[in-house]
Amino acid sequence: MIERPQYSIVAPVYNEAGNLERFYQEVKRALDGTDEPWELLLVNDGSTDESPAIMQRLAEGDNRIKVINFARNFGHQIAVTAGVDHACGAAVILIDADLQDPPAVIPRLIAEWKSGVDVVYAVRAQRRGEGFFKRISAKIFYRMLHRITDVNIPVDTGDFRLMDAKVAAVLRQMREHHRFVRGMTSWVGFRQTGIEYVREERVWGETKYPWRKMIAFALDAITSFSFFPLQIMVYISLILAILSLLVGLVISILRVAAGEEFFGGQATTIVLLLLLSAFQLFFLFIIGQYVGRTYDETRDRPLYVIASTAGLEDRRNDSAGRSFDANRSAETDAAATGRDGALNAGA
Ligand code: UDP
Ligand code: MG
């Protein structure tokens, strides 16, 4: 009988050579304390440094380590997705490989899960080593997103979380290309709760989220979970219509009363024209964001391409990326291993 892991730890890796060894040690320390079987899925998102070699070496030294090598860099959220696709634990835990999410917090996530919670997300009570601007923009962003969406996406929460196998099974069916995984797990429902932790400083290397990627990520989040940007256009058009009526009225009255040409001159016209054009182009941009994403979804390309794997020989190697497998329905996933650790896989 194949021993089925109770916990699948999923970590995306993009040029984390200096972190991997220590990350593995810390995961091992945290999970070995549970006395239950676990696996660590490292998804190499097209790293160009020593990471792939280190991952291979780690996998050779410990058969609980599974490695997925992407054919190129597909992005953080896609890497997390591939990990979830291949995970088979009764609980799946998402964590960054740069030690900003301390593996020592994992037992706390597990404790909540054992008490019956299906998604345990880790809330950043404090963020260390991140610039003022990143902290403040993240704070504003999560609160704004919370307001404009109907899905209850908790604030100050990254992907660091634990989800029950039944939640992971639903995620596997959600094959959208522009992914905001933390929002998608909220969307699934079931019992969800948060615990607070201190987000540490990156141990080694630099953030892979420059401004450009952060903005794209924020746009993915908003367009995936809200139509608010499209809906505000109607209010703005109403305001402008009312304003134009008022201005017309005032000009008429002034002309009749004083007989003079107010608001005259080309300068006024030009300024107004430019202002309105800017407005319109801005809203065209917003529409473009939705249209472009709709196009991406209809093309329905695979989410990722796998170049090679290590330690996953027994697992479905779904290089097509559409890894939802009809033989692994939500029911069988949830039933295969119980929360209490009873393994009935293969029975
Ligand atoms: N990552 C990835 N692909 C990317 C960018 C990042 O797999 O294109 C991984 C990275 O190796 C790390 C996690 O995603 O394990 C979070 O990235 P990062 O630490 O750069 O983001 P930050 O913590 O600064 O928001
Ligand atoms: Mg980080």
Side-chain angles (χ1 to χ4, degrees):
M1 197 180 103
I2 307 165
E3 191 184 39
R4 185 175 156 137
Q6 178 77 337
Y7 305 113
S8 295
I9 320 296
V10 169
V13 176
Y14 182 48
N15 295 344
E16 305 285 4
N19 292 323
L20 284 170
E21 178 64 39
R22 184 163 156 199
F23 173 69
Y24 162 60
Q25 293 301 340
E26 291 200 14
V27 167
K28 191 159 81 167
R29 191 170 330 132
L31 270 296
D32 279 349
T34 64
D35 274 331
E36 288 166 299
W38 54 272
E39 64 175 357
L40 171 60
L41 284 142
L42 296 171
V43 185
N44 167 26
D45 186 12
S47 298
T48 52
D49 66 354
E50 299 301 304
S51 302
I54 297 171
M55 289 157 76
Q56 184 67 31
R57 187 164 48 72
L58 289 176
E60 279 160 14
D62 186 337
N63 62 8
R64 295 171 297 185
I65 297 190
K66 320 283 173 189
V67 177
I68 298 171
N69 290 300
F70 276 179
R72 64 169 171 86
N73 178 255
F74 280 89
H76 172 204
Q77 300 287 296
I78 303 288
V80 169
T81 302
V84 174
D85 286 346
H86 290 79
C88 70
V92 179
I93 295 153
L94 311 183
I95 186 168
D96 284 355
D98 60 0
L99 293 158
Q100 283 199 276
D101 306 328
V105 174
I106 294 177
R108 287 170 57 206
L109 300 175
I110 290 175
E112 287 289 328
W113 175 66
K114 289 206 161 156
S115 75
V117 182
D118 300 301
V119 174
V120 191
Y121 50 85
V123 184
R124 301 156 174 175
Q126 221 189 90
R127 300 171 72 126
R128 297 218 174 110
E130 287 174 317
F132 173 77
F133 223 64
K134 175 147 185 168
R135 289 204 315 264
I136 199 85
S137 60
K139 261 206 143 55
I140 295 171
F141 169 72
Y142 284 115
R143 274 153 193 80
M144 182 208 65
L145 186 67
H146 194 81
R147 280 193 77 98
I148 65 173
T149 168
D150 296 333
V151 179
N152 189 11
I153 303 172
V155 299
D156 301 331
T157 302
D159 288 329
F160 188 23
R161 60 188 58 221
L162 176 152
M163 64 182 94
D164 189 82
K166 68 183 177 196
V167 177
V170 179
L171 266 192
R172 279 184 208 111
Q173 295 185 63
M174 297 166 75
R175 303 316 289 175
E176 60 212 64
H177 290 68
H178 291 269
R179 303 175 78 81
F180 186 60
V181 172
R182 51 202 81 166
M184 291 163 70
T185 41
S186 302
W187 179 91
V188 173
F190 296 116
R191 286 192 62 189
Q192 309 215 356
T193 199
I195 60 158
E196 293 201 337
Y197 80 112
V198 177
R199 185 154 163 94
E200 294 294 340
E201 214 166 311
R202 201 173 228 288
V203 166
W204 176 93
E206 305 224 309
T207 175
K208 277 84 194 182
Y209 269 96
W211 273 104
R212 188 178 50 76
K213 271 207 221 166
M214 256 160 63
I215 291 169
F217 186 53
L219 284 171
D220 278 345
I222 295 167
T223 52
S224 298
F225 287 95
S226 174
F227 288 124
F228 180 77
L230 295 172
Q231 286 159 341
I232 48 171
M233 291 185 209
V234 74
Y235 299 111
I236 293 179
S237 74
L238 269 178
I239 291 170
L240 284 177
I242 292 170
L243 208 68
S244 71
L245 277 178
L246 286 179
V247 170
L249 201 69
V250 170
I251 290 178
S252 311
I253 291 171
L254 285 177
R255 210 178 264 186
V256 170
E260 267 182 68
E261 292 250 350
F262 288 89
F263 297 104
Q266 281 190 8
T268 321
T269 319
I270 290 170
V271 168
L272 280 178
L273 205 72
L274 288 177
L275 189 73
L276 285 179
S277 305
F279 250 126
Q280 286 174 336
L281 287 178
F282 177 72
F283 282 117
L284 270 180
F285 159 78
I286 289 181
I287 296 173
Q289 291 297 313
Y290 284 88
V291 172
R293 283 171 174 75
T294 310
Y295 179 49
D296 266 351
E297 301 303 338
T298 54
R299 261 192 315 221
D300 200 25
R301 288 183 184 161
L303 286 183
Y304 49 83
V305 180
I306 293 176
S308 64
T309 62
L312 277 172
E313 291 70 26
D314 59 324
R315 216 72 56 85
R316 66 223 139 92
N317 180 358
D318 196 345
S319 52
R322 283 187 203 85
S323 33
F324 177 68
D325 177 338
N327 297 318
R328 271 175 74 102
S329 68
E331 291 84 346
T332 55
D333 257 350
T337 34
R339 197 185 298 279
D340 54 3
L343 293 180
N344 34 31

